Amino acid sequence: MIVVAGEALIDLVVSAEGERAVPGGSPANVAVTLARLDQPVRLLARLGADGYGKQLTEHLTANRVDLGWAVRAEQPTSVALATLDATGQASYEFRLIGTADWQWTPQELPELAGTSATALHTGSLALALAPGAQVLEDLLARERRRDGLTVSIDLNLRPGIVTDRAAEQARVERQVSLAHLVKASDEDLAWLYPDRTVSDVMAGWRAAGVCCAVVTRGGDGAWLLAPDGSMHEEPAVPTTVVDTVGAGDAFTGGLLAALADLDALGDRPADRLAAVTAEQWAAVLRQAATVAALTCGRRGADPPRRAELDSLLRA
């Protein structure tokens, strides 16, 4: 079972067709992607008590995401206003003050030791916004010390919300050191480290204890730095882009699902990731890129199901 921790919010998507409210939030999107790829997944989220919270609960349940550890929060649901340009590229504004996602307390988090959990994935705003970010960071630190499951982080930075670059550099470097697997986009790194190359940043993460680093590059594909220091590159899968909402989250879900299928997630995580071969890393990246492409080919964060993915990979 993969445990995903973080926000589940509503995307108010504004396009030429009007406005619509759809379930979103990077960790929630990752959880849905994993569930649609037939991976057992449990979401650690704080779900609001309002109508949007009900919509999120129904969406996650319908997609077979286990909400057994979700918190029924008193606060309202967070909202992201997603505006699409003519190419389908999304830009975001957020309504986050006093909302449910960022109010974690230590008492709300489960003990993962002794469960069937093989990985803990989080990232995005959940690791950036107080007071809950510190609670989740403490959870990552505990699990990294225990060495009983794979710790995964997707940076998914939001410079429009957290604008202090120096503070974000310090936070990211502290949290990355707690992870076995780190994923970011080239846009994340261009903002975070404007004076450093992507390869330099990835090498720094490896020196800090990260086993595997992945950087997505939009239409230029993705890079992966493997535990043995080798670099792997995968081109983007051609698609007609409807919009990019949830594409990065779909990539992350596809990546984790592929590693789970290889039994590369679980206890002794460094050893498991080191055992993945070059050929297998190529297949992992290919699956992640294909899941992202399929998501870009339709409206909203709507990742593919296993049968659709397998059919395209076979073709």
Side-chain angles (χ1 to χ4, degrees), residues 1-3 39-40 112-121 142-152 178-181 211 255-276 281:
M1 175 181 70
I2 298 173
V3 179
Q39 297 295 332
L112 299 182
T115 71
S116 60
T118 57
L120 170 63
H121 173 78
R142 183 171 75 233
E143 294 306 323
R144 178 71 190 233
R145 287 193 302 269
R146 189 170 68 86
D147 210 36
L149 50 71
T150 305
V151 176
S152 166
L178 304 175
H180 304 99
L181 172 64
C211 301
L255 183 80
L256 290 171
L259 290 171
D261 288 339
L262 293 173
D263 198 28
L265 305 177
D267 61 339
R268 298 174 294 102
D271 293 340
R272 288 178 183 268
L273 291 171
V276 178
W281 281 124

Side-chain angles (χ1 to χ4, degrees), residues 171-212:
R171 173 185 72 83
V172 167
E173 288 163 11
R174 188 177 65 247
Q175 293 173 349
V176 158
S177 70
L178 304 175
H180 304 99
L181 172 64
V182 176
K183 178 248 180 185
S185 69
D186 55 356
E187 291 181 346
D188 289 332
L189 300 187
W191 179 81
L192 191 64
Y193 300 113
D195 55 348
R196 295 176 64 183
T197 66
V198 171
S199 58
D200 178 50
V201 174
M202 296 173 82
W205 288 350
R206 186 166 182 263
V210 173
C211 301
C212 175

Side-chain angles (χ1 to χ4, degrees), residues 4 14 35 48 118 124 142 163 217 275 278-279 286 304:
V4 180
V14 181
T118 57
S124 193
R142 183 171 75 233
T163 59
R217 304 162 57 232
E279 181 179 336
R286 192 172 308 116

Side-chain angles (χ1 to χ4, degrees), residues 22-305:
V22 296
S26 177
N29 290 340
V30 172
V32 168
T33 303
L34 286 165
R36 289 189 178 184
L37 297 179
D38 296 336
Q39 297 295 332
V41 58
R42 183 169 289 188
L43 180 64
L44 269 171
R46 302 185 88 257
L47 299 172
D50 51 11
Y52 283 155
K54 181 180 179 183
Q55 181 181 353
L56 284 164
T57 299
E58 292 174 349
H59 168 71
L60 293 164
T61 301
N63 280 284
R64 298 186 296 118
V65 175
D66 187 336
L67 297 179
W69 288 341
V71 175
R72 310 298 168 173
E74 296 179 357
Q75 297 88 358
T77 300
S78 306
V79 175
L81 184 65
T83 303
L84 304 180
D85 65 18
T87 68
Q89 187 75 29
S91 59
Y92 293 89
E93 298 177 28
F94 292 85
R95 303 169 188 171
L96 308 176
I97 296 175
T99 54
D101 295 283
W102 332 113
Q103 314 304 323
W104 287 105
T105 65
Q107 295 74 26
E108 291 175 331
L109 298 181
E111 176 56 61
L112 299 182
T115 71
S116 60
T118 57
L120 170 63
H121 173 78
T122 186
S124 193
L125 288 170
L127 282 182
L129 296 183
Q134 186 60 56
V135 176
L136 293 180
E137 184 176 326
D138 291 343
L139 175 65
L140 295 181
R142 183 171 75 233
E143 294 306 323
R144 178 71 190 233
R145 287 193 302 269
R146 189 170 68 86
D147 210 36
L149 50 71
T150 305
V151 176
S152 166
I153 291 176
D154 180 4
L155 298 195
N156 200 21
L157 302 180
R158 301 296 185 184
I161 298 171
V162 186
T163 59
D164 187 334
R165 183 183 281 112
E168 280 292 84
Q169 288 174 352
R171 173 185 72 83
V172 167
E173 288 163 11
R174 188 177 65 247
Q175 293 173 349
V176 158
S177 70
L178 304 175
H180 304 99
L181 172 64
V182 176
K183 178 248 180 185
S185 69
D186 55 356
E187 291 181 346
D188 289 332
L189 300 187
W191 179 81
L192 191 64
Y193 300 113
D195 55 348
R196 295 176 64 183
T197 66
V198 171
S199 58
D200 178 50
V201 174
M202 296 173 82
W205 288 350
R206 186 166 182 263
V210 173
C211 301
C212 175
V214 181
V215 175
T216 57
R217 304 162 57 232
D220 293 325
W223 288 331
L224 182 147
L225 181 61
D228 65 359
S230 61
M231 185 71 80
H232 302 263
E233 183 174 1
E234 181 69 20
V237 175
T239 188
T240 300
V241 176
V242 175
D243 67 48
T244 61
V245 176
D249 307 325
F251 184 100
T252 302
L255 183 80
L256 290 171
L259 290 171
D261 288 339
L262 293 173
D263 198 28
L265 305 177
D267 61 339
R268 298 174 294 102
D271 293 340
R272 288 178 183 268
L273 291 171
V276 178
T277 67
E279 181 179 336
Q280 288 171 329
W281 281 124
V284 166
L285 277 177
R286 192 172 308 116
Q287 171 166 308
T290 303
V291 173
L294 288 167
T295 304
C296 286
R298 46 203 180 201
R299 190 170 71 170
D302 184 16
R305 288 171 170 78

